């Protein structure tokens, strides 16, 4: 069974640009969540999607957005990039119980997308 | 949100048992405790999860006292390949509107 796939793995952008990152969850996983990891702040929750709906959001500005498609694949977008947005962006998927959307509790992470903003 | 506190780093020798403690004083009734392992340039990997008392799987044990304000991850007989950062995660991860808090992580270094 393929794991969580994130693309691109590495990318370099300049300030003011925007970036879109993609995440393909494990087949059958319908919950997708995103995290930002930096040396100074550690792992921070960005948002979570289930059934194409964002159902929770972390404490990040509106420049950070995301969406989920009907096949559970997800994208996140960061607009007007700042130097401080340089980070490893991680996507995780998980199984849910039926239509309740309740997670089984185990997150499967991808290898991340390393974003460098110059 | 349940704030967590872990030691920043720990050293151990091959073959020893390692115990990493996570403090989470304001854990909520519906919160679970989950531990993840992360190697450089990789995403975290699930190790173990528990709600109360003791949980054991093929790689680790998790001890949770009755008040649930702390938890201890126990790794038996560590090897060099166990050198990684270990994260304690506390939250209602089975809820539909969850808030997750990752701890600052503990860098475990296993020495030969």
């Amino acid at each position: 069974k393929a794991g969580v796939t994130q693309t691109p793995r590495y990318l370099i952008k300049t300030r003011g640009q925007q970036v879109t990152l993609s995440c393909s969850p494990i087949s059958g996983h319908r919950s997708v969540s995103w995290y930002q990891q930096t040396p100074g702040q550690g792992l921070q929750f960005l948002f979570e999607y289930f059934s194409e709906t964002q159902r929770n959001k972390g404490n990040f500005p509106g420049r950070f957005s995301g969406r989920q498609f009907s096949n559970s694949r997800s994208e996140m977008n960061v607009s007007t990039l700042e130097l401080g947005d340089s980070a490893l962006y991680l996507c995780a998927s998980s199984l849910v119980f039926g239509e309740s959307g309740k997670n089984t509790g185990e997150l499967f992470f991808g290898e991340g997308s390393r974003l460098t903003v110059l | 949100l349940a704030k967590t506190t872990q030691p920043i780093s720990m050293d151990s020798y091959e073959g020893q048992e390692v115990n990493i403690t996570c403090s989470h004083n304001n854990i909520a009734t519906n919160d679970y405790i989950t531990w993840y392992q992360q190697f450089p340039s990789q995403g975290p990997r699930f190790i173990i999860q528990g709600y109360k008392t003791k949980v054991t799987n093929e790689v680790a044990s998790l001890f949770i006292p009755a008040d649930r304000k702390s938890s201890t991850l126990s790794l038996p007989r560590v090897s060099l390949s166990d050198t990684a950062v270990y994260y304690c995660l506390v939250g209602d991860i089975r809820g539909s509107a969850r808030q997750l808090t990752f701890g600052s992580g503990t860098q475990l270094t296993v020495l030969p």
Side-chain angles (χ1 to χ4, degrees):
Chain A
K1 202 176 202 180
V4 176
T5 304
Q6 291 189 245
T7 57
R9 288 293 314 280
Y10 303 91
L11 66 166
I12 299 174
K13 294 285 188 178
T14 56
R15 278 182 300 174
Q17 288 187 308
Q18 68 92 26
V19 65
T20 299
L21 308 177
S22 179
C23 172
S24 292
I26 292 172
S27 177
H29 287 197
R30 297 167 58 195
S31 171
V32 174
S33 50
W34 289 87
Y35 303 82
Q36 181 195 65
Q37 186 172 33
T38 60
Q41 299 296 320
L43 264 163
Q44 294 185 285
F45 172 76
L46 279 158
F47 25 64
E48 181 205 0
Y49 289 89
F50 169 71
S51 231
E52 302 178 64
T53 301
Q54 184 184 92
R55 60 181 183 179
N56 207 8
K57 187 172 173 22
N59 189 27
F60 279 82
R63 299 186 296 107
F64 291 81
S65 63
R67 58 178 175 168
Q68 186 181 35
F69 302 95
S70 58
N71 61 358
S72 296
R73 191 176 70 84
S74 178
E75 288 181 348
M76 69 162 281
N77 184 78
V78 187
S79 62
T80 319
L81 284 166
E82 301 176 359
L83 296 179
D85 296 332
S86 293
L88 179 66
Y89 289 88
L90 292 159
C91 166
S93 72
S94 60
L95 287 167
V96 298
F97 292 110
E99 291 306 313
S100 70
K102 289 187 183 295
N103 285 274
T104 58
E106 182 174 348
L107 300 177
F108 293 81
F109 284 84
E111 294 193 312
S113 293
R114 172 77 63 184
L115 170 66
T116 301
V117 182
L118 302 176
Chain B
L1 297 178
K3 179 172 164 46
T4 60
T5 303
Q6 302 174 233
I8 294 174
S9 64
M10 294 181 69
D11 290 342
S12 181
Y13 290 95
E14 279 192 293
Q16 290 189 329
E17 177 185 77
V18 170
N19 296 309
I20 307 175
T21 297
C22 179
S23 173
H24 28 81
N25 290 322
N26 58 339
I27 187 170
T29 303
N30 294 331
D31 286 347
Y32 282 75
I33 300 155
T34 314
W35 285 82
Y36 285 83
Q37 174 194 56
Q38 186 177 27
F39 297 109
S41 299
Q42 292 186 23
R45 185 176 69 96
F46 174 90
I47 301 174
I48 197 166
Q49 182 184 91
Y51 182 80
K52 62 180 178 180
T53 63
K54 176 184 174 183
V55 180
T56 298
N57 61 22
E58 62 276 9
V59 299
S61 294
L62 178 60
F63 298 91
I64 306 169
D67 66 7
R68 306 205 318 129
K69 293 187 176 183
S70 65
S71 59
T72 299
L73 172 72
S74 181
L75 305 171
R77 299 179 299 281
V78 294
S79 64
L80 296 177
S81 63
D82 292 319
T83 293
V85 178
Y86 291 81
Y87 289 96
C88 168
L89 172 61
V90 176
D92 183 12
I93 54 179
R94 300 189 185 212
S96 60
R98 60 182 183 179
Q99 295 284 342
L100 300 180
T101 302
F102 274 84
S104 54
T106 298
Q107 171 66 58
L108 172 65
T109 302
V110 180
L111 305 168

